[in-house]
Amino acid sequence: MPKHRLTRRRRMAAASTALVAGAALILMQYEAPAAVTADTADPIGLNAVSEYLGWGEAPDPVAVMKATGLRQFALSFVLSGGGCDPKWDGSRALTGGGDEKTIKRIRAAGGEVLATFGGWDGAKLGERCATAAELAAAYQKVVDAYGLKAVDIDIESTELSTPEVRKRVVEALKTLKAKNPGLLVYVTFPVDQAGPDADGADLITLAAKTGLVVDGWTAMPFDFTGHDGTMAAATVTAVTGLQRAVATAYDWDDDKAWRHSGLSSMNGRTDQQGEQLTPADFRSVRDFAATHHLARFGFWAVNRDRPCAGGTFTTATCSGVQQAAYDFTRIVAGYHADSVPGGDAPCPSPSVITTLPAGPGRTTWPLPTPTTARPADAAPSAGEIKPSLPGIATGTPTPARTACVPPSSPPATAAPTPVPTTAPTTATSSAPGGPGATTTSKPPVTPTGTTTSPTGPGTGAAESPTQAAGGAPAPAAPGGGSLASTGAGATDILLTTTGALLFLGGALGLIGTRRRDPEQLVG
């Protein structure tokens, strides 16, 4: 072989190596955002936020995902569309409409959903289906329509208070789980500050005796008739009461009972006059949930997770407390199966870091032992379970900390999602549930402007630039990532530049070698 041909082949090999190495360096910098993969191991429903597409000004779920890192939604509410026929809000078909399109968009963006049945008002399937078998078939119809991996039964009002309906729901869910191995079932219901009332306790006991293992018994710890201390303290006490009821009914140890208990709170002002849950309260509750590995941590509803425009409180569209847009959602997005206390979802990109004033501290867990114990079969007395909660009730001051805010623009509200088809007849419902829920009048609140509430280190306090007024989206990258969204810094830029130069040099080397000797590829 001629000497010049061997030399040119070596040149080709070197150029090819540079080409491949350069391409690899460039692609390494374009990873998918951490938020997309952070919760891939999370059970569906663990960190789902409720969204009611037929209520108020429902935000675009995909825009919420981009702004917060949230990946799971509990879509509300499946009701009776006549008899035992399930429909969204009792009026919108399961398939072929806006609801199905929304679910497909969420999944295309890397998210997942669970359907919520029931709610406070409306025609409940548990009451309209005549038998447990018919009810199980109605649940199954929704599971099949979307290939669901989880469902949430929000059992309230007469559906919860009627013994025969409770029994029907439990038997139907047992059938549903038997026909769908791996399907996660959550049962959500209102609780008192001490935990489940007599109806709720009976529901748990009945499920245990029937052999139904609910993956997450979910307390709705709000709308108390009165409570001591902060809403964080009241929430912890209520969920602790739930855990005790679950442990007793199933004869489980504390850890197993905690891992089958959860909560779905109500952000901001609740339906009870003078009761409100702030972002600081919710972070304390999140730390409590992480310590005990609760099966579910969420809230009602993302529809309300924004400041009130002009300071006018409307329960279907804003929280009524001082917050930035999606503060509560971002707290939930930071909760995972392996969470430890502390840490909201990371800031969206681009963002700037600002210092927030000092504020109340987080509680140090584990939860102290309650001061009063009672036999498992005894009815709770008023105010009986009142554990001491230092750090929540009293508040330990913390130093100033940082939060992310959008560059040169105040938080903006995501564009409302158009109501898929026919909206509920009473879209101004104030309580979680179907059409016709009771509306509670509330006084206006002070305008929030662009002020953000105290947040923990590294927490996100603003919307993604894809939504915020004047903001530009970060450059797209393969797999949905971007240099900005993956935290590109000086090292990333240097590696990308080096890769580009290697790629270009390798390409030019190959071209030059071919031009010198057209026969170099022969023999």
Side-chain angles (χ1 to χ4, degrees), residues 97-173:
D99 299 276
E100 183 182 32
K101 290 178 182 178
T102 296
I103 292 172
K104 288 180 177 179
R105 290 183 62 239
I106 291 171
R107 286 174 169 170
E112 190 51 88
V113 304
L114 62 159
T116 296
F117 296 78
W120 172 256
D121 210 345
K124 317 293 180 57
L125 288 167
E127 295 176 307
R128 297 303 176 93
C129 296
T131 66
E134 290 181 4
L135 180 57
Y139 291 153
Q140 187 70 54
K141 185 175 181 180
V142 181
V143 169
D144 291 342
Y146 308 116
L148 295 178
K149 300 175 183 177
V151 294
D152 172 33
I153 311 302
D154 186 338
I155 181 168
E156 303 182 52
S157 188
T158 54
E159 194 176 28
L160 176 62
S161 63
T162 307
E164 63 182 278
V165 177
R166 291 198 299 268
K167 185 173 185 291
R168 187 180 304 147
V169 169
V170 165
E171 292 176 350
L173 289 177

Side-chain angles (χ1 to χ4, degrees), residues 194 196-198 201 373-382 384-385:
D197 63 10
R374 62 181 175 84
D377 58 348
S381 59
E384 176 184 308
I385 304 175

Side-chain angles (χ1 to χ4, degrees), residues 129 136 259 275 311 322 406 426 514:
C129 296
R259 292 174 185 270
E275 185 180 272
Q322 181 175 303
T426 53
R514 283 186 63 107

Side-chain angles (χ1 to χ4, degrees), residues 137-458:
Y139 291 153
Q140 187 70 54
K141 185 175 181 180
V142 181
V143 169
D144 291 342
Y146 308 116
L148 295 178
K149 300 175 183 177
V151 294
D152 172 33
I153 311 302
D154 186 338
I155 181 168
E156 303 182 52
S157 188
T158 54
E159 194 176 28
L160 176 62
S161 63
T162 307
E164 63 182 278
V165 177
R166 291 198 299 268
K167 185 173 185 291
R168 187 180 304 147
V169 169
V170 165
E171 292 176 350
L173 289 177
K174 185 178 180 182
T175 299
L176 184 69
K177 291 207 75 170
K179 289 185 177 180
N180 300 270
L183 179 73
L184 299 177
V185 170
Y186 300 89
V187 175
T188 303
F189 61 102
V191 296
D192 295 332
Q193 188 181 351
D197 63 10
D199 292 335
D202 180 73
L203 179 68
I204 297 171
T205 301
L206 179 62
K209 289 181 177 178
T210 305
L212 169 64
V213 176
V214 171
D215 297 282
W217 288 101
T218 306
M220 295 169 56
F222 56 86
D223 286 354
F224 302 126
T225 54
H227 63 83
D228 298 325
T230 67
M231 272 297 285
T235 297
V236 167
T237 304
V239 177
T240 301
L242 169 66
Q243 183 267 354
R244 290 190 189 123
V246 171
T248 300
Y250 287 91
D251 194 22
W252 287 342
D253 61 31
D254 281 347
D255 181 66
K256 189 170 183 178
W258 281 121
R259 292 174 185 270
H260 285 78
S261 303
L263 67 99
S264 179
S265 193
M266 185 172 184
N267 62 310
R269 294 188 181 191
T270 72
D271 303 302
Q272 186 71 28
Q273 186 70 29
E275 185 180 272
Q276 64 179 32
L277 182 83
T278 67
D281 288 328
F282 203 43
R283 287 189 182 89
S284 292
V285 175
R286 186 267 319 278
D287 288 351
F288 161 77
T291 297
H292 293 292
H293 307 289
L294 295 189
R296 190 176 178 196
F297 175 70
F299 72 94
W300 170 273
V302 71
N303 304 55
R304 315 172 72 245
D305 193 11
R306 47 195 166 199
C308 297
T312 302
F313 175 59
T314 306
T315 191
T317 59
C318 62
S319 69
V321 298
Q322 181 175 303
Q323 69 159 102
Y326 302 138
D327 270 354
F328 290 89
T329 301
R330 196 169 285 108
I331 293 169
V332 174
Y335 181 75
H336 301 291
D338 57 354
S339 283
V340 295
D344 297 356
C347 297
S349 178
S351 63
V352 294
I353 303 300
T354 186
T355 300
L356 295 178
R362 293 173 177 166
T363 299
T364 299
W365 307 107
L367 183 71
T369 302
T371 56
T372 305
R374 62 181 175 84
D377 58 348
S381 59
E384 176 184 308
I385 304 175
K386 294 182 180 178
S388 174
L389 299 173
I392 281 189
T394 58
T396 303
T398 56
R401 47 220 188 272
T402 59
C404 56
V405 297
S408 66
S409 64
T413 299
T417 298
V419 177
T421 55
T422 305
T425 55
T426 53
T428 57
S429 165
S430 83
T438 304
T439 301
T440 305
S441 175
K442 302 292 176 76
V445 297
T446 304
T448 57
T450 58
T451 304
T452 58
S453 55
T455 55

